[in-house]
Amino acid sequence: VWNAQHQLMANGGGLLGNLGFFQQAQAIKQPGNSNIYYIFTLGSDLRYSVVDMSLAAGMGSVTAKNIVLYGQAAEKLTAVRHCNGVDTWLISHEVNSNNFLSFILSAVGVNPNPVVSSIGPVLTLSVNPGYANGQLKASSDGRRLGVRFNISGTDLYDFNNATGTIANRIILEASGIGASCEFSADGSMFYSDGDLMGNLIIKQWSLCSASDSIIIASNDSVGSTPFGFSGFQLGTDGKIYVANGTSYIGQINNPEQSGLGCSYISSGHSIGANFCHGLPGFESHLL
């Protein structure tokens, strides 16, 4: 954990996780406390560490580290504001099962007993670890979840931000290599990466219809790259940024527009001599 002066925060080293994951960590401010942040990290387990920004002359210190919240968590991690407008749901997925896990973070801390929703494919590590890889994303209104299951396709679900339950699976595609996904800011479009005859592409679905079949049929290819994708992330400017393992960050300039009108550019933002292999996640309601 680094502070605002780009220095290692006091007690900030040694957080456990997996650097190869697309979704490695999620930082969430504790409701009702402007100084306390929870940093959730994924590796073989789902863990959390606590940062107190009132310490070290306002630079912050890590006061608790690597506390196990849940064992055997898959590479899935996102955060959604509770319908009460105060608390936050942290959502992950268990490996070797089809259980989504919704943990509530409130003013008293994180509840270690998740709301469990058994739906969708079993994310098994024993057959092929690729099934457990890929991003889990929430729409900004907190009502939908999109999931990229790497080699086992792309799903869409309804999320109840009052109860933490997940329901109504829509299989957008049943197979295909890829690991990235994201919603447009208004929730009208959903994006995923994939392959088409060996070419890496960005796919788009329109979510405006109440018909599952119409949503599925709206699949359109809106861009391609000669490089791999390693994460999509909606920005506060409404653009979707694309990590593609190069010295550029790609971007979808107009995510609410259908087809090529969304304007995907693979070399949208230069990062000089650096390489972008991933992007941080944010609570959906902040975007």
Side-chain angles (χ1 to χ4, degrees):
V1 185
W2 302 87
N3 64 24
Q5 295 178 345
H6 304 285
Q7 299 172 339
L8 190 65
M9 186 176 288
N11 195 33
L15 269 65
L16 298 178
N18 189 323
L19 293 178
F21 279 6
F22 283 71
Q23 294 183 296
Q24 304 166 7
Q26 182 83 45
I28 306 174
K29 183 186 292 185
Q30 182 175 356
N33 194 318
S34 60
N35 291 314
I36 303 298
Y37 289 78
Y38 281 69
I39 301 177
F40 298 90
T41 56
L42 276 176
S44 57
D45 303 309
L46 175 58
R47 300 172 182 260
Y48 69 88
S49 300
V50 181
V51 173
D52 187 341
M53 291 302 301
S54 69
L55 301 177
M59 288 294 102
S61 298
V62 176
T63 58
K65 189 159 56 178
N66 296 325
I67 300 171
V68 176
L69 180 60
Y70 202 89
Q72 293 296 303
E75 185 192 344
K76 302 280 183 290
L77 193 65
T78 196
V80 178
R81 178 57 57 92
H82 192 285
C83 72
N84 63 19
V86 177
D87 300 330
T88 298
W89 292 104
L90 180 84
I91 308 168
S92 189
H93 199 290
E94 188 178 39
V95 296
N96 298 320
S97 82
N98 68 338
N99 293 334
F100 283 93
L101 311 169
S102 300
F103 299 88
I104 190 73
L105 178 63
S106 68
V108 298
V110 59
N111 187 335
N113 301 307
V115 175
V116 179
S117 300
S118 301
I119 188 172
V122 173
L123 303 191
T124 176
L125 292 178
S126 59
V127 175
N128 190 319
Y131 282 92
N133 297 341
Q135 290 186 309
L136 165 65
K137 288 301 184 81
S139 60
S140 295
D141 63 7
R143 296 181 180 180
R144 272 180 159 154
L145 297 177
V147 191
R148 191 67 173 93
F149 291 116
N150 198 354
I151 59 176
S152 56
T154 308
D155 280 4
L156 196 67
Y157 299 87
D158 289 340
F159 182 70
N160 186 323
N161 62 355
T163 65
T165 55
I166 298 164
N168 302 326
R169 180 190 186 193
I170 301 176
I171 303 174
L172 296 179
E173 53 183 358
S175 62
I177 297 173
S180 306
C181 64
E182 185 59 283
F183 291 89
S184 62
D186 66 356
S188 66
M189 296 290 183
F190 182 68
Y191 293 85
S192 173
D193 61 352
D195 66 299
L196 179 65
M197 300 179 65
N199 295 316
L200 296 168
I201 62 172
I202 293 180
K203 300 179 180 181
Q204 179 197 71
W205 286 267
S206 173
L207 308 182
C208 296
S209 175
S211 166
D212 292 358
S213 60
I214 292 177
I215 291 175
I216 295 169
S218 69
N219 186 1
D220 195 6
S221 174
V222 296
S224 63
T225 179
F227 311 103
F229 298 116
S230 54
F232 295 175
Q233 178 58 50
L234 178 66
T236 56
D237 57 3
K239 299 179 181 180
I240 294 176
Y241 291 89
V242 179
N244 55 23
T246 73
S247 58
Y248 287 88
I249 297 176
Q251 59 193 55
I252 302 173
N253 290 311
N254 305 302
E256 288 83 11
Q257 299 299 314
S258 61
L260 297 179
C262 72
S263 181
Y264 170 67
I265 302 173
S266 61
S267 56
H269 184 77
S270 173
I271 50 177
N274 303 295
F275 291 90
C276 184
H277 292 286
L279 296 166
F282 301 93
E283 296 176 62
S284 62
H285 73 278
L286 297 176
L287 298 170

